[in-house]
Amino acid sequence: MDQLREIYQRLFDRYGPRHWWPAETPFEMAVGAILTQNTNWKNVEKAIANLRAAGALSPAAICQLERAELERLINPSGFFRQKAERLQLLSCYLRDHYQGRLVSMLRQPLEPLREELLALKGVGPETADSILLYAGELPSFVVDAYTGRLFSRLGLLSGDEKYAQIRNYFSDRLPPDVALFNEYHALIVCHCKEHCRKRPLCAGCPLGEICRYRQQNP
Ligand code: SF4
């Protein structure tokens, strides 16, 4: 079994399916991808609940909201001024170019679509890939700080790679399988919260036998 498959299998056997990114619509997932920047998912859920209660979970509604009201609704997610601006930019872009329909935008081929998302202010690679993978169901591997930390400890990355290099590392070695990419990212996050924390809890780690850090720090 190749290394990435073995790591995936070990994590899956330990943690099981993660059932990630619960959302009612692709647009709600995209909103979540923006709101989750620099915060945890619990806070995002509160902000999304506020938007839902206000009937503001659509591009049209977000475009029309007063900025101050949008900031108030998403306040629980933190960085609410910045995120309100980003949500309105995306929503108004969809209104102006795709009749307010994210699904129309997501029908394009992956790479040009990714470039289009990255050209929007406030949409970095992690947010773009989250929108592509979770809202668009397109095989774009999502990388975050946990990914870099875990795979450098395992000895598969140096720790100096940029986002694109880490994404390519996975894309080059895994089949372009949306369900696999979805589950793999969720398992990495789960594992880094449970075991591979800033100060790793190596005892009982399902990756201990194949981890370079563990071998060097028995
Ligand atoms: S053995 Fe330790 S360093 Fe290696 S993956 Fe597990 S928790 Fe992280």
Side-chain angles (χ1 to χ4, degrees):
M1 199 187 311
D2 64 58
Q3 285 170 305
L4 285 187
R5 283 287 187 171
E6 179 172 6
I7 291 161
Y8 175 85
Q9 202 55 52
R10 282 172 178 260
L11 294 177
F12 190 84
D13 290 347
R14 170 64 61 91
Y15 303 112
R18 299 285 82 211
H19 304 296
W20 245 38
W21 218 282
E24 290 178 10
T25 65
F27 182 70
E28 185 180 324
M29 291 189 198
V31 168
I34 290 174
L35 294 180
T36 199
Q37 294 167 350
N38 302 306
T39 193
N40 64 49
W41 190 252
K42 285 245 169 304
N43 295 332
V44 175
E45 282 178 331
K46 289 178 198 158
I48 287 181
N50 288 347
L51 290 169
R52 181 175 288 112
L57 261 178
S58 70
I62 288 179
C63 277
Q64 282 169 9
L65 274 180
E66 292 288 333
R67 178 68 63 85
E69 175 62 1
L70 180 56
E71 289 174 358
R72 188 185 69 76
L73 292 170
I74 66 167
N75 180 291
S77 72
F79 300 95
F80 54 88
R81 290 205 176 87
Q82 202 178 60
K83 291 178 183 177
E85 182 189 10
R86 290 172 183 180
L87 284 180
Q88 284 195 313
L89 276 172
L90 173 65
S91 299
C92 297
Y93 185 83
L94 292 171
R95 178 196 62 192
D96 296 343
H97 295 85
Y98 294 97
Q99 296 84 42
R101 290 170 53 78
L102 177 62
V103 285
S104 300
M105 183 180 186
L106 293 171
R107 276 193 204 114
Q108 299 175 80
L110 195 155
E111 286 306 328
L113 172 58
R114 187 170 189 269
E115 290 307 313
E116 192 176 348
L117 285 167
L118 288 171
L120 295 171
K121 188 179 171 196
V123 176
E126 186 183 340
T127 303
D129 290 328
S130 297
I131 292 172
L132 292 166
L133 182 62
Y134 296 107
E137 298 185 0
L138 293 164
S140 200
F141 201 89
V142 177
V143 172
D144 61 6
Y146 291 136
T147 318
R149 179 207 290 168
L150 174 59
F151 282 81
S152 54
R153 283 181 180 160
L154 290 170
L156 299 177
L157 295 173
S158 72
D160 295 328
E161 291 88 350
K162 301 263 187 272
Y163 187 101
Q165 292 170 293
I166 301 178
R167 180 173 179 261
N168 290 343
Y169 177 81
F170 286 90
S171 304
D172 291 347
R173 289 166 176 79
L174 294 171
D177 178 334
V178 173
L180 174 67
F181 282 17
N182 183 327
E183 197 67 58
Y184 211 145
H185 177 64
L187 286 167
I188 290 168
V189 173
C190 174
H191 181 62
C192 286
K193 288 182 175 169
E194 292 286 326
H195 276 281
C196 208
R197 302 175 181 176
K198 252 184 197 160
R199 290 186 66 174
L201 299 174
C202 297
C205 172
L207 303 178
E209 291 169 12
I210 54 170
C211 176
R212 188 176 64 182
Y213 178 96
R214 181 68 162 149
Q215 284 157 11
Q216 291 171 348
N217 301 271

